[in-house]
């Protein structure tokens, strides 16, 4: 199981550039948190990279991420990666028992929201600050499809203050700004 294997699987199932960029952003956040928590950066990165790989083919709940989990099982991916991916969707009722699962849940919706915030700024991601993201979270019409409750709950489950978590993810995303379209 390598990043290249995961990329091949992602490209096989996901054709949308926007969805691929989202998964690259989540991968970057996962890798940054793995480093922070002295965990396996490659494994955590793969969990972030593949968390939505099945979404285009199976966009309806509960098919996503259940179908993807079965594909990953058949391909021999580790159980902890599969469980983290299942846990990023609350409707699967999969408990987020590992730190990797908690981080994936905490980063998924937030990466999408940060992307939306960056897209409306002249300097995109380069000068985006957590305070601006928090302010945009109050505007329910902005990026209305992003679940703000998941962002807040994810930060709480991690035990990291929301503003600190947002800024950490922004900095992680800046490291891959070219890959995610900024």
């Amino acid at each position: 199981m390598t990043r290249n294997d995961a990329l091949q699987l992602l490209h096989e199932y996901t054709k949308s550039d926007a969805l691929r960029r989202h998964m690259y952003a989540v991968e970057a956040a996962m890798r940054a948190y793995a480093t922070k928590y002295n965990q396996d950066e490659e494994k955590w990165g793969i969990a972030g990279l593949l968390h939505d790989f099945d979404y285009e083919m199976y966009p309806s709940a509960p098919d996503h991420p259940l179908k993807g989990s079965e594909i990953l099982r058949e391909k021999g991916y580790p159980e902890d990666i599969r469980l983290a991916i299942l846990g990023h969707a609350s409707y699967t009722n999969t408990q987020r028992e590992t730190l990797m699962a908690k981080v994936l849940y905490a980063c998924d919706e937030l990466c999408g929201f940060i992307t939306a915030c960056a897209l409306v700024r002249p300097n995109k991601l380069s000068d985006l600050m957590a305070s601006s993201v928090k302010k945009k979270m109050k505007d329910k019409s902005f990026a209305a499809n992003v679940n703000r409750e998941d962002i807040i709950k994810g930060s709480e489950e991690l035990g990291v203050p929301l503003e600190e978590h947002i800024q950490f993810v922004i900095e992680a995303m800046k490291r891959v700004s070219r890959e995610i379209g900024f």
Side-chain angles (χ1 to χ4, degrees):
M1 171 192 77
T2 66
R3 183 178 191 272
N4 282 338
D5 296 332
L7 275 173
Q8 286 180 354
L9 186 62
L10 179 141
H11 286 262
E12 177 183 342
Y13 282 83
T14 305
K15 304 306 178 199
S16 162
D17 285 335
L19 186 53
R20 286 179 181 180
R21 286 191 301 267
H22 168 69
M23 289 186 277
Y24 300 150
V26 176
E27 175 194 19
M30 292 293 290
R31 286 180 177 276
Y33 267 117
T35 299
K36 178 180 179 174
Y37 293 131
N38 198 28
Q39 298 295 314
D40 185 336
E41 184 181 325
E42 187 77 359
K43 181 182 269 193
W44 282 40
I46 288 170
L49 190 60
L50 293 177
H51 80 283
D52 278 344
F53 86 97
D54 65 332
Y55 186 77
E56 275 185 8
M57 294 189 106
Y58 307 104
S60 301
D63 288 344
H64 163 73
L66 296 174
K67 298 277 190 185
S69 178
E70 290 308 310
I71 293 165
L72 294 176
R73 180 193 314 266
E74 290 167 9
K75 294 193 175 288
Y77 279 80
E79 187 76 2
D80 57 347
I81 288 177
R82 288 186 339 89
L83 288 173
I85 290 171
L86 286 170
H88 95 279
S90 295
Y91 56 81
T92 67
N93 295 317
T94 302
Q95 297 296 310
R96 292 179 287 278
E97 296 177 351
T98 66
L99 185 56
M100 179 171 54
K102 291 176 183 179
V103 170
L104 180 58
Y105 175 71
C107 292
D108 180 29
E109 290 289 305
L110 180 57
C111 283
F113 196 77
I114 289 170
T115 297
C117 291
L119 286 171
V120 299
R121 297 176 59 83
N123 296 323
K124 305 297 181 213
L125 199 57
S126 66
D127 63 353
L128 181 62
M129 299 299 294
S131 56
S132 296
V133 174
K134 282 182 70 178
K135 184 176 179 182
K136 283 287 196 189
M137 285 177 67
K138 294 175 185 174
D139 179 356
K140 300 300 181 199
S141 64
F142 179 80
N145 60 330
V146 176
N147 188 327
R148 283 122 165 100
E149 290 176 20
D150 282 357
I151 293 172
I152 294 165
K153 185 176 179 185
S155 178
E156 289 171 352
E157 284 185 14
L158 268 184
V160 177
L162 182 60
E163 191 153 341
E164 180 181 322
H165 175 53
I166 293 169
Q167 195 62 48
F168 186 86
V169 173
I170 290 169
E171 296 306 319
M173 289 174 65
K174 283 180 183 178
R175 293 183 208 134
V176 295
S177 60
R178 179 168 284 143
E179 291 90 336
I180 60 175
F182 296 114

